[in-house]
Amino acid sequence: MTLYSKIAGTGSYLPPKRITNDQLAAQLAQNNIETSDEWIVTRSGISARHFAEADVLSSDLATIASKRALEAAGLQPNDIDLIIVATSTPDHLGGFPSTACVVQRKLEIVNGCAALDVQAVCSGFVYALAVADNFIKSGAHKNVLVIGAEVFSRILDFQDRTTCVLFGDGAGAVVLKASAQPGILASKLHADGRHGSILCMPNGPADGIVRDAFLYMDGQAVFKLAVSLLEKVAGEVLDAAGLGSDAIDWLVPHQANIRIMQSTAKKLKLPLDKMIVTVDQHGNTSAASIPLALDHAVRDGRIKPGHTVMMEAVGGGFTWGAVLARM
């Protein structure tokens, strides 16, 4: 029997602290940094984002999202035989123990299942989903918990209004199960390290000290590259699945910038009302953005069983990828 993987449940979580553009502008004004709601919305489409409290970690957000995904899938934590967490903001400096191992402990999973982190920045969830799909197809695993979780507020430079207004915190999760029916129809992953400098965290651990470890982004360069790469990878995934863009019921893109998202939809000849948008209220939550948007659209009834969903993202590295899934 041919094995496939299928999304059996989704879950998400946003920390309660919601920061509007006006609130953020007032905070930045205390440091003599000028911005406004109009300036932010015009350039990004973002009106608000959520920030975690100082004692809340990526694993805390991930654990809550995971519990909701498990409940939706009708599974208990110890039914999971692999955990993959996509994050650029792991709980521990250096990334160990992995955030996936911390989530395993917090979910009280004691079956000895494998747990690992994936680092592809904003493309992380797409990467993790593709990895999980291949593990299931190989027969190695049956129930995989795939998570995107970020506390990007920890790595923002609040002296740089071009980046600090764009990002937020949150987590999303899916349970991917072995199935006799096709779920993940195709995936494509790419990277090109030559473009690593346009979206990166240039400083970090040196002599045991973290020195100005803040996110840096060349917004114009990222925009130009993202639009062309997202169109191309979407076409690759559709070709691999033997489908045309008219087969897409919903586009769930990485929620980075409304202009990038709209441009991608137009190039795929998809009406904008077929694109799931949460960037206005969540900001860019990096690896968490796609599973957050997916869960919101599943729970509000827009995405239904049998719908075909295109998920795609670009991220620092420079990474990009897409997954086509039938729900």
Side-chain angles (χ1 to χ4, degrees):
M1 181 183 74
T2 302
L3 276 177
Y4 301 96
S5 69
K6 197 171 184 68
I7 294 174
T10 66
S12 63
Y13 179 70
L14 290 162
K17 186 178 179 181
R18 181 176 181 270
I19 307 293
T20 66
N21 288 345
D22 287 334
Q23 290 172 318
L24 187 56
Q27 177 184 329
L28 295 178
Q30 296 176 9
N31 296 324
N32 297 317
I33 307 296
E34 291 187 10
T35 190
S36 67
D37 176 69
E38 181 183 10
W39 191 90
I40 299 168
V41 171
T42 301
R43 286 160 179 77
S44 67
I46 297 168
S47 296
R49 75 287 294 147
H50 291 249
F51 285 169
E53 298 293 345
D55 61 345
V56 174
L57 304 173
S58 288
S59 66
D60 295 315
L61 306 181
T63 299
I64 298 172
S66 297
K67 288 179 178 179
R68 292 173 178 176
L70 285 163
E71 182 180 8
L75 295 181
Q76 296 299 314
N78 278 286
D79 293 327
I80 296 298
D81 54 20
L82 173 63
I83 302 168
I84 305 177
V85 175
T87 185
S88 297
T89 52
D91 286 11
H92 298 282
L93 182 66
F96 63 91
S98 70
T99 303
C101 282
V102 178
V103 171
Q104 182 190 48
R105 171 176 59 81
K106 290 181 177 180
L107 288 174
E108 300 181 355
I109 296 175
V110 294
N111 60 14
C113 74
L116 63 111
D117 287 0
V118 169
Q119 183 16 335
V121 199
C122 301
S123 305
F125 180 77
V126 169
Y127 265 61
L129 199 58
V131 169
D133 174 50
N134 281 288
F135 267 123
I136 288 176
K137 286 178 178 175
S138 75
H141 298 279
K142 294 182 179 178
N143 299 315
V144 183
L145 183 58
V146 185
I147 307 162
E150 303 283 16
V151 284
F152 252 58
S153 58
R154 309 286 161 76
I155 60 171
L156 299 179
D157 181 358
F158 286 94
Q159 298 293 323
D160 178 8
R161 72 166 182 169
T162 64
T163 58
C164 72
V165 300
L166 302 178
F167 295 89
D169 303 339
V174 303
V175 173
L176 207 61
K177 293 185 66 173
S179 172
Q181 301 297 320
I184 303 298
L185 303 177
S187 64
K188 291 290 181 180
L189 304 177
H190 296 285
D192 189 339
R194 293 174 299 175
H195 301 293
S197 63
I198 67 174
L199 178 54
C200 60
M201 207 167 78
N203 300 313
D207 300 324
I209 302 172
V210 177
R211 304 178 190 276
D212 296 329
F214 296 126
L215 177 147
Y216 166 79
M217 182 172 66
D218 181 337
Q220 290 187 342
V222 170
F223 184 94
K224 291 177 183 178
L225 199 56
V227 171
S228 62
L229 293 178
L230 288 172
E231 178 188 13
K232 184 177 180 181
V233 77
E236 290 175 349
V237 170
L238 287 168
D239 288 346
L243 297 171
S245 61
D246 58 347
I248 300 172
D249 292 302
W250 295 99
L251 175 65
V252 185
H254 167 48
Q255 308 285 313
N257 179 297
I258 192 65
R259 293 185 295 157
I260 294 175
M261 294 161 61
Q262 290 172 342
S263 177
T264 302
K266 289 175 182 176
K267 287 180 180 296
L268 289 171
K269 296 183 170 67
L270 288 176
L272 294 182
D273 62 2
K274 287 295 184 181
M275 180 174 68
I276 304 301
V277 177
T278 57
V279 68
D280 57 328
Q281 296 301 315
H282 298 176
N284 180 348
T285 55
S286 188
S289 78
I290 288 177
L292 267 166
L294 180 69
D295 182 56
H296 276 239
V298 167
R299 290 179 184 265
D300 68 21
R302 282 177 291 173
I303 296 179
K304 303 179 186 298
H307 281 178
T308 300
V309 176
M310 173 72 78
M311 294 170 274
E312 58 175 4
V314 296
F318 198 81
T319 64
W320 68 99
V323 173
L324 191 67
R326 183 161 294 140
M327 301 299 289

